[in-house]
Every structure is written in structure tokens, then in C-alpha cells.
């Protein structure tokens, strides 16, 4: 139980260290589920232990009340103690297996969260690099738009100069007296 409690505390600490709130909440719910399961396992273990003790006590009482001879009582008591010890051991083994499965499930959950966190960090880095590329593209487009406006203005001024020159030449040749 101490080992399981320690693993649950590690999972809770990992949950508190998560940056993303949804992952943090999911891990905290998982921690609560594991805590509840551990408490129910402890209660089941205690109940099984208490039931075995009561059964042993009742068996001893019955044997004493029946008035059998001492050797037979000892033999029966030893057999019942061995049987109850065997039952307790089987109960404890079952609880141990359940706890082991819970710990394994917690480890798989932690591994899955670590993988998803790594994927999110990689996507974030890729987003940052794409953002830089988009900013550079925006600057280049703005620069080309300014050059296009400048080119149009120069063409308009050149055309106006050309037309003014043509009008001046026509005026001097057709109307030299003006």
C-alpha cells in the first residue's frame, strides 16, 4: 500500500506540473480514481482480514463448546488455521494483483501523457518557425506593393513629360508665332 500511495503521489505531482489545463485536469481525475480504488482495496483487505479472524474465533469457540478431546481440537485448530491462513494469503494475493494492475495502468497513462506532451511541444516549435516564415512573406509583399506604386508614379510622370514635350514641339512647329 505504501508503494502504491507513493506512485499515486508521483502521478499527482506530475499532474500539477502539466502546462496544459485540460491535461492537468485529466491527470488529477485519474489520481482521484486511483486514490478511491486504493481506499476500496484497503477496505476490502481489512474486511477480509476481519472476516478471517472472526471465522477463526468462531471455529475455536465451536470446538471448545463441543467438548472434543484436546488432540483432536489442536489438529482441527491447526487445520482451520492453515486453511484460514491460506484464504487470507489468497485474498492478499488478489489484492496485490489488483494493485499491480492499477500501478501498471498509471504508468501507461503517464507514458501516454509524456508522448502527447512531446508531440504538442514539437507542434508548437513548428508553429513558431511557420510564424517567422509568414512574417517574412508579409514584409516582402509589402515591399513589392510599395515598389509597384513607385513604378506606376514614375511611368505616369514619364508619360506626362513625353506628352508635354510632344505638345511643345507641335506648338512650335504649327504655331511658330505664338
Amino acid at each position: 500500500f505504501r508503494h502504491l500511495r507513493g506512485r499515486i503521489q508521483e502521478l499527482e505531482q506530475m499532474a500539477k506540473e502539466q502546462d496544459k489545463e485540460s491535461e492537468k485536469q485529466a491527470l488529477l481525475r485519474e489520481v482521484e480514481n486511483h486514490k478511491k480504488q486504493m481506499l476500496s482495496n484497503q477496505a476490502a483487505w481489512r474486511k477480509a482480514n476481519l472476516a478471517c479472524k472472526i471465522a477463526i474465533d468462531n471455529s475455536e469457540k465451536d470446538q471448545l463448546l463441543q467438548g472434543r478431546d484436546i488432540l483432536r481440537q489442536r489438529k482441527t485448530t491447526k487445520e482451520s488455521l492453515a486453511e484460514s491462513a491460506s484464504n487470507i494469503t489468497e485474498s492478499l494475493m488478489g489484492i496485490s494483483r489488483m494493485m499491480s494492475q492499477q500501478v501498471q495502468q498509471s504508468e501507461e497513462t503517464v507514458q501516454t501523457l509524456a508522448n502527447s506532451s512531446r508531440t504538442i511541444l514539437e507542434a508548437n516549435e513548428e508553429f513558431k518557425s511557420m510564424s517567422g516564415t509568414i512574417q517574412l512573406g508579409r514584409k516582402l509583399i509589402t515591399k513589392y506593393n510599395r515598389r509597384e506604386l513607385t513604378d506606376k508614379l514614375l511611368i505616369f510622370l514619364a508619360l506626362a513629360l513625353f506628352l508635354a514635350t510632344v505638345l511643345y514641339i507641335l506648338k512650335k512647329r504649327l504655331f511658330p508665332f505664338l
Side-chain angles (χ1 to χ4, degrees), residues 72-89:
R72 198 169 186 179
Q73 285 180 357
R74 286 182 185 168
K75 186 177 180 183
T76 307
T77 304
K78 286 181 181 179
E79 288 174 0
S80 66
L81 283 175
E83 186 178 330
S84 64
S86 173
N87 290 339
I88 290 172
T89 303

Side-chain angles (χ1 to χ4, degrees), residues 94-116:
I95 291 171
S96 175
R97 281 191 294 275
M98 285 188 344
M99 288 171 47
S100 175
Q101 289 172 350
Q102 289 294 322
V103 168
Q104 183 67 28
Q105 187 180 14
S106 296
E107 288 175 356
E108 290 171 1
T109 302
V110 168
Q111 187 65 30
T112 302
L113 284 172
N115 289 340
S116 65

Side-chain angles (χ1 to χ4, degrees), residues 17-43:
E17 292 173 358
Q18 291 296 318
D19 293 333
K20 197 169 182 183
E21 191 63 30
S22 62
E23 289 178 6
K24 183 177 187 177
Q25 292 302 321
L27 271 178
L28 287 174
R29 283 191 299 274
E30 189 70 27
V31 166
E32 288 302 315
N33 287 340
H34 288 303
K35 282 182 180 179
K36 288 177 185 176
Q37 184 67 34
M38 184 183 70
L39 290 175
S40 69
N41 286 345
Q42 282 178 332

